Amino acid sequence: MLDTIVRTSTSLAKTRDGATTVFDHDSSSRGALDYANATDELVARLQSASEDASSEEAPAAAAPNDLSAEAAPEVSEMLNS
């Protein structure tokens, strides 16, 4: 379970009817921001779990195109720009 709550909103209902995403319909809506925050939380949890697993195993070589967590912008930051 995530700690982030995705509230109901008109923009979420409209995207279901129009077969679009909430980010295409209204990226600044409450529903879009809630989903962006949920995505950020999920990514943070996955990165934490990956780091925990890595610390228990021998270090593996990083892939050449591997982006560090510090270099990747958060979804909520991308929507606000």
Side-chain angles (χ1 to χ4, degrees):
M1 292 273 217
L2 297 176
D3 294 326
T4 302
I5 297 171
V6 177
R7 300 165 287 181
T8 58
S9 70
T10 305
S11 62
L12 293 176
K14 288 181 180 178
T15 59
R16 181 184 62 233
D17 296 337
T20 62
T21 70
V22 69
F23 301 105
D24 293 332
H25 177 70
D26 184 2
S27 63
S28 63
S29 69
R30 179 178 66 189
L33 294 176
D34 287 349
Y35 271 108
N37 289 333
T39 301
D40 290 341
E41 180 183 345
L42 180 59
V43 168
R45 287 184 180 207
L46 291 172
Q47 287 173 340
S48 176
S50 176
E51 290 169 1
D52 290 346
S54 295
S55 67
E56 294 173 5
E57 300 173 0
N65 294 330
D66 217 7
L67 292 176
S68 69
E70 294 81 31
E74 291 191 2
V75 175
S76 55
E77 290 174 358
M78 293 187 319
L79 290 173
N80 291 328
S81 60

